[in-house]
Amino acid sequence: MTRPGSRDDSQTQTLERTESKRPRLWRVLLLNDDYTPMDFVVMVLERYFRKSEQEAQLIMLAVHHKGQGVAGVYTRDVAETKVAQVTQHAGQEGYPLLAVAEPEGE
Ligand code: TYC
C-alpha cells in the first residue's frame, strides 16, 4: 500500500540496530606484585596511559596498597592493545607486572 509521498517499504526492510551508538568501555587494571619496581610502574602509567608523573605516582601507590587499580578506560581494541604493550614491555625487563582489561559495568 503506497500513498503518494510515502515510501514503499514492502520490498525493503531495515534491520533494527542491535549495537548501541557508544561502544562499551573497558577498564585496564594494573595488578600488584612484589617484584616490579615502583619506578617501572610509574613509567608505564606515564608512557602507555598518558598520566602525569603525579597521577602516575598516586595510581601506582593505590595499586601497591590495594592490590589493583584502574590505569585507564578505553574501547575494547585500545584496552587490549595497552594490555599487550604493558605485558610485553614488563616481560622484556623480566618483571611480572600484569595488566588486564575488563568491561565497565560488571
Ligand atoms: N609492589 C611493588 C613493589 O613494592 C610495586 C608495584 C606497584 C608493582 C604496582 C606492581 O602494579 C604494580 N616494588
Side-chain angles (χ1 to χ4, degrees):
M1 205 72 66
T2 308
R3 285 172 283 104
S6 75
R7 293 188 57 208
D8 178 0
D9 65 357
S10 62
Q11 299 296 310
T12 307
Q13 288 197 4
T14 305
L15 290 170
E16 282 173 39
R17 308 180 57 102
T18 52
E19 285 171 33
S20 52
K21 289 191 181 150
R22 278 159 298 144
R24 164 183 283 237
L25 294 176
W26 291 61
R27 289 185 281 262
V28 176
L29 304 178
L30 291 183
L31 307 186
N32 189 36
D33 67 74
D34 292 339
Y35 304 102
T36 305
M38 290 182 169
D39 284 356
F40 182 80
V41 178
V42 170
M43 179 280 293
V44 159
L45 285 160
E46 291 173 342
R47 180 182 298 188
Y48 298 107
F49 300 95
R50 315 205 65 125
K51 303 300 183 189
S52 68
E53 189 180 349
Q54 283 140 312
E55 276 181 298
Q57 287 280 356
L58 288 173
I59 295 168
M60 182 279 294
L61 284 174
V63 175
H64 176 70
H65 289 298
K66 297 179 193 169
Q68 62 176 56
V70 179
V73 177
Y74 307 94
T75 55
R76 186 179 187 168
D77 279 8
V78 174
E80 285 173 351
T81 300
K82 304 273 182 202
V83 167
Q85 287 171 327
V86 170
T87 306
Q88 129 90 23
H89 194 154
Q92 196 173 292
E93 303 291 336
Y95 301 142
L97 179 63
L98 277 184
V100 296
E102 66 170 27
E104 271 196 335
E106 322 228 304

